Amino acid sequence: MLSPRFRFLRSVASLTTRTFSRGPVSLQGKAPDMSEGNAHLLMSNVRNRLREIVGASTNWRDHQQALADRLSLSNQLAGSQDELPVRRMKDSYIEAHLPLGTDPTLREKYLNYLKGVRFGRILEDLDSLADMRKQIIHPDCDIKFTGHVTWVGKTSIEAKMHMSQYHGGAYTPVLDATFVMVARDPENKRAAFVNPLKPEGIEEEKLFHQGEINKTRRIELSTASLLKVAPTAEERKIVHSLFLNTLDSKTVSFRSRVLPPNSVWMEDAKVKGLEICHPQERNIFNRIFGGFLMRKAYELGWANACVYGGCRPNLVAVDDILFRKPVEIGSLLLLSSQVCYTEGKYIQVRVHTEVLDPLTRQHNTTNVFHFTFVTDKDVPNIVPQSYGESMLYLDGKRHFNQTLGSQ
């Protein structure tokens, strides 16, 4: 079985805390201690500790005052990265536990209808603090999350998270995830400098070097995006072949299209959803929690793959989740899941989320998610009709090939 991997990219994430300021606490003192010396920090306490570190409000009714108070932090921002103290990877290390084995009430929250673990909940937990190494996550065994910063640029941070589960008398690896976050000023209007990172030892040097490679890869993917440049010559041949396979040989007309056997039009492989964004799902900066968005997108994508394949799919990979814009409290969040590529037993799903302003009727894209699923039988071929759908098909194929190529 192929191993899922996960990468999460936040393009607009407020990371400006005391860690990045010029104040005496961050320059001379220690980095914020998430665990307060407790090696068994519970996931339920992580958000509370983050609120204390950042100084965020705990009540929604106080959020406007909290935002106003944050403006005073602007004069503490560093003018350059050189003004900030150097950090080590171990300074950011955190360990948090999810006691599914010892807390039946908590276990109920994570159970799916097949008595397994809801993976959307795991995505939600990872975002609070991914290659899947085991396909099975036991619902009655404790889970441990660990992670630390592995690379920094001037204003961005890459952090690796690891999840393991206690089973058979020991913790064994379950999945890994990589998060990329961008630091913002207290008003979330411009980038802010982050502390430089000093690798120590060969292993940390390798992690830091991989961060540089990942940065280069992100730039290359953005440059080659089908939203910016035309498909390659080989991709154009693929699109033309798909077009020829749908022509009606009886009419010899460009307008007459026929669906090939064992195929589904892309237009008929969609599932949509809507969420009203309530304060209950807010993060410490009083915007919608990114983990909540990931869970909703994953569950919609899974349902899309399930309906399309006619059986229960298994996750293979979550690829490059890009957070383009924050989602404000009170927004109408529209989610659209689309099967965009298939090959044998594999289903590539793209979930696009956007915010609708009911007063202005304006739509703004907030996130794009890419999920790869596998089933226990071959699935119908997905077939695009329009040029736009053909670009979705090629984009899905790129993500799929990248997923298989990294296994």
Side-chain angles (χ1 to χ4, degrees), residues 1-4 132-136 313-316 345-346 373-376 404 407:
M1 182 65 70
L2 292 175
S3 300
M132 181 85 81
R133 303 189 186 184
K134 291 170 60 180
Q135 287 294 329
I136 299 176
N314 290 315
L315 182 68
V316 175
K345 299 179 180 180
Y346 294 94
F373 296 96
V374 65
T375 64
D376 56 6
L404 293 190
Q407 301 299 324

Side-chain angles (χ1 to χ4, degrees), residues 78-105:
S80 70
Q81 194 175 40
D82 294 335
E83 299 179 30
L84 296 169
V86 175
R87 300 294 191 204
R88 299 166 298 176
M89 289 189 185
K90 63 182 180 181
D91 292 335
S92 60
Y93 180 84
I94 181 176
E95 178 178 314
H97 290 249
L98 189 65
L100 298 183
T102 53
D103 189 338
T105 302

Side-chain angles (χ1 to χ4, degrees), residues 338-353:
Q338 171 75 71
V339 174
C340 54
Y341 182 75
T342 57
E343 186 173 314
K345 299 179 180 180
Y346 294 94
I347 304 173
Q348 187 71 33
V349 177
R350 179 182 188 269
V351 179
H352 175 267
T353 64

Side-chain angles (χ1 to χ4, degrees), residues 355-406:
V355 168
L356 168 63
D357 187 325
L359 301 180
T360 64
R361 297 183 180 274
Q362 289 186 334
H363 292 250
N364 290 301
T365 297
T366 59
N367 307 85
V368 179
F369 303 84
H370 300 276
F371 302 104
T372 305
F373 296 96
V374 65
T375 64
D376 56 6
K377 63 180 181 179
D378 287 347
V379 299
N381 299 314
I382 196 74
V383 181
Q385 282 185 287
S386 66
Y387 184 80
E389 288 181 345
S390 296
M391 295 304 100
L392 283 176
Y393 181 92
L394 293 178
D395 185 61
K397 188 176 189 303
R398 287 182 179 183
H399 283 279
F400 176 75
N401 289 341
Q402 184 177 313
T403 295
L404 293 190
S406 65

Side-chain angles (χ1 to χ4, degrees), residues 199-242:
E200 297 179 335
I202 297 177
E203 290 302 316
E204 290 191 2
E205 290 283 358
K206 289 180 179 179
L207 288 173
F208 194 88
H209 179 64
Q210 184 60 49
E212 293 286 354
I213 294 175
N214 292 343
K215 176 187 176 182
T216 301
R217 173 189 161 276
R218 290 192 296 272
I219 295 173
E220 291 175 348
L221 287 177
S222 176
T223 303
S225 170
L226 291 168
L227 293 173
K228 297 180 180 179
V229 297
T232 64
E234 182 62 30
E235 288 175 333
R236 290 196 292 270
K237 290 180 181 179
I238 293 174
V239 170
H240 192 63
S241 177
L242 288 169

Side-chain angles (χ1 to χ4, degrees), residues 249-277:
S249 59
K250 298 178 181 179
T251 62
V252 193
S253 169
F254 287 110
R255 294 184 178 182
S256 182
R257 308 285 292 276
V258 175
L259 184 67
N262 191 36
S263 300
V264 176
W265 291 121
M266 189 175 285
E267 175 64 28
D268 298 326
K270 296 180 179 179
V271 175
K272 296 187 176 182
L274 181 144
E275 293 288 334
I276 301 175
C277 299

Side-chain angles (χ1 to χ4, degrees), residues 42-71:
L42 298 180
M43 281 301 305
S44 58
N45 296 330
V46 170
R47 278 211 233 178
N48 291 333
R49 289 292 298 123
L50 283 172
R51 285 193 179 94
E52 292 175 14
I53 293 170
V54 176
S57 63
T58 56
N59 297 315
W60 168 245
R61 63 178 180 270
D62 300 329
H63 81 285
Q64 291 292 350
Q65 182 59 46
L67 288 175
D69 293 341
R70 286 180 59 82
L71 297 181

